[in-house]
């Protein structure tokens, strides 16, 4: 699903002072403004009558209040353009039963706009021209979030809610709106897949991580289930797999799969690997430079050695997600350090053909002490944020639709679909119809197009709400999910600490990130450990020259502010 972007940014955070898997928030000198925004619930209650009066239109449409969903005031047809900064998103609104039901219910139709190529180029072009569509969804970690806010291109959600839909304050999580309150006291984006500290306390036992090290089950078992936690065992297993299974259906085996390489690096070889090695994020209250951690560097050298042994296929340096999905569906990878949700559809296809050909999670790279991995679980920043453009064609309908999608009612509709069509109620519990659940478990792509439930449209999904509706996990996904339980932690305190934008620190951070993006593949392609050391030392020096000390100071300050804010949320 792409939720790996969340952890990807956690990794980038650590790569540059932590410096993923997965936008600078508020500054420390604006607590009064933040508190005013966080107190929106009280404000909404006090001004409900005034707001309702303002929203009585000439057409005599019903007024809205803090106690009634605003979308009910107007269900006439309207179409919103909604930009998704994810080129891989394949679905269209209105094709499936769930989106048809939501349109019939609310009157809102959605026209998704998805970039055909490079997401950043498309988004930056829209920002530069000021021609943003009605809604925009992108990763909270994207630099575009700050650009849109600082450029005055997006509406403050709290102000839209004050004027058009005070119900927003009733359904929005105060911890999340507080977390996303900017220095001007306004909230411009609302997250999906977000879990506050209280959520983590409540649901920790149910939480899983997307970060996994997986192997193809039949091959792994044929090799005698080798231990891949040590560097020697890791290399020996890759070598044995290539020798025993040189081809898969007439095509070369790819011993190891990773997330795609981008201009700022590779999440598999940053946050994922560091978390498997249990590299700390901080020591004694000071952010730790994870990228120079000796065990991490040693494992990067192990990957270099794998390349020297011809165990890193050239594909992994050039393939993008569509090519990787195709190869996963063919079962061509032996092992992968990969986000499990990103290949759920391919996993189901493999399971349907041969249950033994699926990928299973095992203990992957580990530190010398044998510590358990510290995998990233749900954080308060979530995965994406959704914003409303200044160009929005109807401010009232936009904030009301967003409130609906954020609410439990909207989340239930997005997850369960239409009653009687995709689900029934039995013994007081809502359950998918047997044929719907069967297709969900067997063919996710076809399920999305036919039914569109189970968060096919994930832009404002609440992954805590859905725990009450979600059917029990089944194979092949269950094994991977269960493997992550007990290893999952919240890293919210490290979210949103990277400087972005055109500040001195932001420019330095961007330059360092791009330098790392160029350095990482060079490290793996080094001819020797000596060459690796030379290239790595050059990166550290370039990082210093680019202003790493300023980035570190900025991150430390933001981290300390985050720790204080998170403590407040637990009171």
């Amino acid at each position: 699903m792409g939720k790996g972007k969340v952890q990807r940014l956690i990794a980038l955070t650590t790569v540059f002072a932590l410096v993923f898997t997965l936008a600078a928030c508020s500054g420390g000198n604006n607590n009064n403004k933040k508190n005013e925004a966080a107190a929106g619930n009280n404000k909404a209650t006090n001004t409900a009558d005034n707001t309702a009066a303002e929203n009585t239109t000439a057409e005599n449409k019903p007024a809205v209040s803090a106690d009634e969903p605003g979308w009910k005031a107007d269900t006439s047809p309207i179409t919103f353009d909604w930009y998704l900064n994810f080129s891989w998103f394949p679905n269209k609104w209105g094709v499936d039963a769930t989106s048809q039901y939501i349109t019939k219910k609310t009157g809102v139709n959605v026209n998704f706009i998805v970039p055909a190529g490079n997401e950043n180029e498309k988004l930056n072009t829209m920002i530069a021209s000021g021609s943003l569509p009605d809604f925009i969804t992108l990763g909270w970690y994207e630099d575009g979030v700050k650009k849109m806010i600082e450029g005055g291109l997006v509406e403050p959600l709290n102000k839209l809610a004050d004027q058009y839909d005070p119900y927003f304050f009733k359904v929005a999580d105060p911890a999340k709106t507080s977390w996303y309150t900017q220095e001007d006291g306004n909230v411009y984006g609302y997250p999906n897949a977000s879990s506050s500290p209280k959520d983590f306390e409540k649901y920790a036992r149910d939480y899983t991580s997307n970060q996994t090290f997986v192997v193809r089950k039949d091959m792994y078992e044929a090799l005698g289930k080798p231990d891949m936690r040590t560097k020697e065992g890791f290399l020996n297993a890759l070598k044995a797999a290539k020798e025993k299974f040189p081809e898969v259906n007439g095509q070369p085996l790819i011993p190891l799969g990773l997330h795609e390489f981008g201009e700022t690096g590779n999440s598999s070889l940053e946050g994922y690997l560091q978390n498997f090695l249990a590299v700390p994020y901080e020591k004694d209250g000071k952010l730790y430079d994870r990228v120079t951690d000796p065990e991490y560097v040693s494992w990067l050298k192990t990957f270099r050695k794998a390349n020297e042994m011809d165990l890193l296929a050239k594909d992994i340096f050039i393939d993008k997600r569509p090519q990787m999905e195709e190869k996963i569906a063919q079962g061509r990878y032996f092992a992968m350090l990969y986000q499990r949700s990103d290949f759920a559809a391919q996993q189901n296809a493999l399971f349907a053909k041969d249950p033994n050909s699926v990928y299973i999670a095992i203990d992957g790279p580990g530190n010398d002490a044998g510590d358990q991995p510290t995998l990233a679980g749900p954080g308060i920043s979530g995965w994406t944020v959704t914003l409303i453009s200044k160009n929005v064609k109807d401010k009232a309908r936009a904030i009301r639709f967003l409130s609906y999608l954020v609410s439990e009612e909207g989340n239930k509709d997005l997850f369960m679909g239409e009653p009687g069509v995709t689900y029934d109620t039995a013994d007081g519990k809502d359950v998918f119809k047997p044929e719907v659940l069967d297709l969900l478990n067997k063919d996710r792509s076809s399920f999305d197009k036919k039914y569109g439930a189970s968060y096919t449209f994930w832009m404002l999904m609440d992954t805590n709400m859905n725990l009450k509706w979600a059917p029990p996990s089944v194979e092949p996904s269950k094994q991977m999910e269960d493997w992550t339980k007990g290893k999952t932690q919240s890293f919210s305190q490290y979210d949103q600490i990277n400087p972005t934008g055109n500040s001195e620190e932001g420019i330095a951070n961007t330059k360092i990130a791009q330098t790392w993006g160029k350095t990482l593949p060079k490290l793996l392609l080094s001819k020797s450990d000596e060459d690796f050391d030379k290239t790595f030392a050059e990166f550290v020096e370039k990082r210093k020259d680019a202003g790493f000390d300023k980035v570190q100071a900025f991150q430390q300050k933001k981290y300390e502010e985050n720790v204080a804010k998170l403590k407040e949320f637990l009171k």
Side-chain angles (χ1 to χ4, degrees):
M1 189 175 66
K3 213 167 175 181
K5 298 279 186 183
V6 177
Q7 309 314 332
R8 168 123 178 72
L9 254 290
I10 291 175
L12 289 180
T13 297
T14 60
V15 166
F16 314 123
L18 319 161
V19 184
F20 185 145
T21 268
L22 329 257
C25 198
S26 8
N29 299 319
N30 297 277
N31 289 330
N32 291 334
K33 291 182 179 179
K34 292 177 197 172
N35 292 335
E36 289 170 8
N41 282 317
N42 295 330
K43 182 177 180 182
T45 301
N46 295 334
T47 62
D49 292 339
N50 292 336
T51 305
E54 291 172 8
N55 283 280
T56 302
T57 66
E59 292 85 359
N60 294 317
K61 291 172 182 173
V64 294
S65 76
D67 299 315
E68 184 71 15
W71 65 265
K72 293 183 178 181
D74 185 354
T75 58
S76 60
I78 187 172
T79 298
F80 285 117
D81 294 324
W82 195 319
Y83 175 74
L84 302 177
N85 202 41
F86 302 93
S87 60
W88 49 263
F89 184 76
N91 299 302
K92 303 291 184 183
W93 188 273
V95 174
D96 60 278
T98 295
S99 60
Q100 290 172 2
Y101 168 60
I102 292 174
T103 295
K104 179 174 64 176
K105 179 176 181 175
T106 65
V108 177
N109 183 43
V110 176
N111 172 43
F112 284 121
I113 301 169
V114 179
N118 184 288
E119 290 96 341
N120 288 334
E121 288 181 5
K122 173 71 173 177
L123 183 61
N124 287 334
T125 298
M126 290 195 301
I127 291 173
S129 65
S131 57
L132 294 173
D134 302 301
F135 288 87
I136 309 99
T137 295
L138 70 168
W140 63 258
Y141 41 84
E142 302 283 359
D143 200 36
V145 175
K146 187 170 186 179
K147 288 180 180 177
M148 287 186 286
I149 293 172
E150 290 185 343
L153 300 176
V154 288
E155 294 279 357
L157 300 183
N158 52 300
K159 290 187 176 180
L160 289 180
D162 280 339
Q163 187 171 0
Y164 302 109
D165 188 23
Y167 187 71
F168 170 80
F169 295 112
K170 185 171 185 176
V171 296
D173 186 326
K176 296 171 187 177
T177 54
S178 177
W179 183 256
Y180 275 100
T181 297
Q182 301 296 308
E183 293 186 1
D184 62 4
N186 293 319
V187 181
Y188 294 89
Y190 197 84
N192 75 349
S194 168
S195 292
S196 69
K198 285 189 176 180
D199 290 330
F200 215 95
E201 282 189 342
K202 183 177 181 180
Y203 301 111
R205 289 185 178 181
D206 297 313
Y207 282 155
T208 59
S209 177
N210 265 325
Q211 298 180 336
T212 50
F213 179 75
V214 300
V215 291
R216 191 169 141 165
K217 183 175 184 290
D218 50 1
M219 294 181 181
Y220 182 67
E221 291 176 348
L223 295 175
K225 299 182 180 180
D227 184 355
M228 300 183 72
R229 291 174 297 179
T230 67
K231 302 176 188 70
E232 183 181 9
F234 181 81
L235 292 172
N236 287 341
L238 296 183
K239 182 173 181 290
K242 184 175 181 180
E243 290 174 350
K244 191 174 184 66
F245 306 100
E247 292 187 345
V248 177
N249 296 324
Q251 299 186 78
L253 175 81
I254 304 172
L256 181 68
L258 306 168
H259 280 279
E260 65 184 71
F261 282 82
E263 65 177 8
T264 57
N266 185 303
S267 57
S268 294
L269 297 173
E270 294 159 10
Y272 281 38
L273 179 58
Q274 291 161 354
N275 288 350
F276 266 84
L277 301 178
V279 177
Y281 284 83
E282 56 86 19
K283 290 186 176 183
D284 299 322
K286 297 295 182 182
L287 291 176
Y288 180 59
D289 183 12
R290 297 178 99 201
V291 77
T292 58
D293 178 80
E295 292 218 60
Y296 172 61
V297 173
S298 180
W299 265 96
L300 285 184
K301 287 185 176 181
T302 302
F303 281 85
R304 186 213 68 78
K305 184 65 176 179
N307 183 66
E308 182 183 294
M309 297 169 65
D310 201 26
L311 299 174
L312 296 187
K314 298 299 180 283
D315 308 50
I316 69 173
F317 293 99
I318 57 176
D319 282 350
K320 299 301 181 185
R321 179 164 168 170
Q323 291 77 42
M324 295 161 67
E325 289 179 346
E326 180 181 355
K327 291 170 182 176
I328 293 171
Q330 296 166 348
R332 288 184 60 193
Y333 296 101
F334 164 62
M336 295 187 290
L337 187 55
Y338 207 74
Q339 175 166 264
R340 60 180 176 80
S341 62
D342 276 9
F343 65 97
Q346 294 73 32
Q347 178 85 320
N348 285 337
L350 290 170
F351 187 77
K353 292 178 184 176
D354 178 4
N356 285 318
S357 70
V358 300
Y359 290 92
I360 59 172
I362 66 167
D363 293 333
N367 63 30
D368 290 344
D371 295 325
Q372 184 168 264
T374 53
L375 306 179
I380 195 167
S381 292
W383 166 31
T384 69
V385 288
T386 293
L387 308 94
I388 295 176
S389 165
K390 287 279 189 181
N391 298 329
V392 65
K393 59 176 62 73
D394 189 321
K395 294 180 181 180
R397 294 292 296 278
I399 186 62
R400 293 169 190 170
F401 188 55
L402 186 142
S403 296
Y404 158 73
L405 295 175
V406 166
S407 72
E408 182 168 334
E409 178 186 13
N411 262 265
K412 183 177 180 180
D413 289 345
L414 288 167
F415 190 83
M416 296 302 299
E418 182 176 5
V421 176
T422 52
Y423 75 96
D424 292 318
T425 302
D427 298 325
K429 182 174 175 59
D430 298 319
V431 293
F432 284 124
K433 287 176 171 286
E435 65 274 18
V436 176
L437 183 60
D438 184 63
L439 188 61
L440 172 62
N441 289 331
K442 289 182 177 178
D443 188 342
R444 178 71 207 216
S445 180
S446 295
F447 171 89
D448 289 348
K449 290 176 174 59
K450 184 172 183 178
Y451 297 115
S454 190
Y455 291 143
T456 296
F457 304 102
W458 38 257
M459 298 80 208
L460 287 161
M461 66 179 178
D462 188 314
T463 46
N464 296 311
M465 284 184 191
N466 90 297
L467 292 173
K468 67 184 73 173
W469 311 306
S473 294
V474 297
E475 299 302 351
S477 60
K478 185 177 185 300
Q479 187 275 337
M480 292 189 291
E481 290 179 16
D482 289 347
W483 183 87
T484 69
K485 289 181 178 179
K487 306 177 181 73
T488 302
Q489 299 185 17
S490 173
F491 295 134
S492 292
Q493 62 269 42
Y494 311 111
D495 286 352
Q496 306 205 36
I497 66 173
N498 271 351
T500 58
N502 294 321
S503 66
E504 186 177 3
E505 297 90 351
I507 293 171
N509 190 57
T510 298
K511 185 175 182 180
I512 292 169
Q514 292 171 343
T515 301
W516 175 252
K518 295 174 182 176
T519 300
L520 184 57
K522 290 181 181 178
L523 294 173
L524 270 57
L525 296 171
S526 299
K527 296 185 182 300
S528 66
D529 281 352
E530 290 73 22
D531 285 342
F532 178 105
D533 290 338
K534 181 180 177 181
T535 301
F536 192 83
E538 289 173 352
F539 163 72
V540 172
E541 188 63 27
K542 289 177 181 177
R543 188 178 68 165
K544 180 181 177 181
D545 292 342
F548 183 53
D549 57 337
K550 292 184 176 64
V551 174
Q552 282 184 306
F554 181 96
Q555 291 172 325
Q556 182 66 32
K557 180 174 179 290
K558 290 294 183 183
Y559 161 68
E560 291 172 3
E561 291 173 3
N562 283 353
V563 170
K565 284 166 60 174
L566 291 167
K567 284 182 179 177
E568 287 295 313
F569 296 156
L570 285 170
K571 290 182 178 179

